[in-house]
Amino acid sequence: MLMDTPANERAAILARIAAAAQAAGRVADDVTLVAVSKLQPDDRVDAMLAAGQRVFGENRVQEAQVRWRQRRITGLELRLIGPLQSNKAADAVALFDAVDTLDRPKLAAALADEIQKQGRSPQILVQVNTGEEPQKAGVIPAEADAFIRAARTEYGLPVVGLMCIPPADEEPAMHFALLAKIARRNGLTHLSMGMSEDFETAIRFGATQVRIGSALFGARA
Ligand SMILES: *Cc1c(COP(=O)(O)O)cnc(C)c1O
């Protein structure tokens, strides 16, 4: 039996991603593993880097700054997958290669401003609140098209895709299908959807990025 080393855990997840992609008539390379390192101890993150993982997702700007300041190795790609306050836009633009959670005009304005000032432009995904949950971030589906258009044209942001977190107590498939449909009609090619419990379903519905934390690193602190 293989030991539960981070390298083995990563290989096992990559194999499941490849199998799910193949079953959906897609190729494994179309799906990127985003390793969600929020609240994970540094030794696990270092082991994942040593295993060759280069794309990481973080929820909080400040936690990410502390962790990644010393770990800026070649090829590293940092994605912000948690909600962003407008007053942290400067820090986010300085640190992240992608912001996956754009969901309101005020934040669009703040990001556009910082991109201009810093001459550095993270990739942008719009978060859609597919389940219309009041406690959850994201634009509601009915407002998604107009918001995506405004983010691109009024604010000039490089929006390339969409992200969602389905309600915990619902079948995720319909939420993934809805996100894919909104992306298609807006000409967006990146779909960040699927987590530890449902990434294979997300791949079936077109995910190009799966955000996996606990299944990869083990339980969070
Ligand atoms: C924490 C988190 C994940 C990872 O969740 P797991 O269930 O541990 O895979 C993915 N996406 C977002 C937005 C998260 O906050």
Side-chain angles (χ1 to χ4, degrees), residues 55-204:
V55 185
F56 290 84
E58 289 281 355
N59 255 46
R60 290 169 183 274
V61 174
Q62 206 181 345
E63 182 189 347
Q65 281 174 324
V66 172
R67 164 165 298 138
W68 292 103
R69 197 171 287 140
Q70 313 294 336
R71 293 182 172 82
R72 264 281 169 200
I73 62 167
T74 312
L76 186 72
E77 181 182 319
L78 287 184
R79 311 193 67 98
L80 179 63
I81 61 169
L84 178 62
Q85 292 173 308
S86 303
N87 64 10
K88 297 256 175 68
D91 290 339
V93 167
L95 178 68
F96 288 99
D97 303 294
V99 173
D100 293 346
T101 51
L102 173 63
D103 66 353
R104 56 198 192 282
K106 189 178 174 200
L107 180 58
L111 286 171
D113 220 39
E114 281 306 322
I115 286 169
Q116 193 90 45
K117 263 190 216 151
Q118 299 184 30
R120 180 174 200 282
S121 186
Q123 197 182 64
I124 306 284
L125 270 57
V126 168
Q127 182 174 357
V128 181
N129 186 355
T130 57
E132 304 191 32
E133 295 171 281
Q135 82 283 8
K136 205 166 266 177
V139 296
I140 63 168
E143 289 168 5
D145 293 355
F147 180 70
I148 292 162
R149 196 176 326 116
R152 286 165 147 175
T153 58
E154 277 175 49
Y155 299 102
L157 291 172
V159 178
V160 296
L162 303 178
M163 179 270 213
C164 78
I165 310 169
D169 56 354
E170 282 180 32
E171 179 57 49
M174 58 181 275
H175 296 276
F176 298 149
L178 174 59
L179 197 72
K181 186 170 139 191
I182 297 170
R184 214 175 305 120
R185 69 177 182 235
N186 285 282
L188 298 170
T189 53
H190 290 54
L191 279 174
S192 174
M193 56 190 198
M195 318 201 300
S196 289
E197 297 303 318
D198 56 17
F199 69 89
E200 283 142 325
T201 305
I203 290 170
R204 181 148 46 89

Side-chain angles (χ1 to χ4, degrees), residues 3-14 33 48 215-218:
M3 288 199 310
D4 293 354
T5 67
N8 287 342
E9 298 291 353
R10 177 171 181 268
I13 293 286
L14 288 174
L33 168 59
M48 210 48 77
L216 188 61
F217 290 100

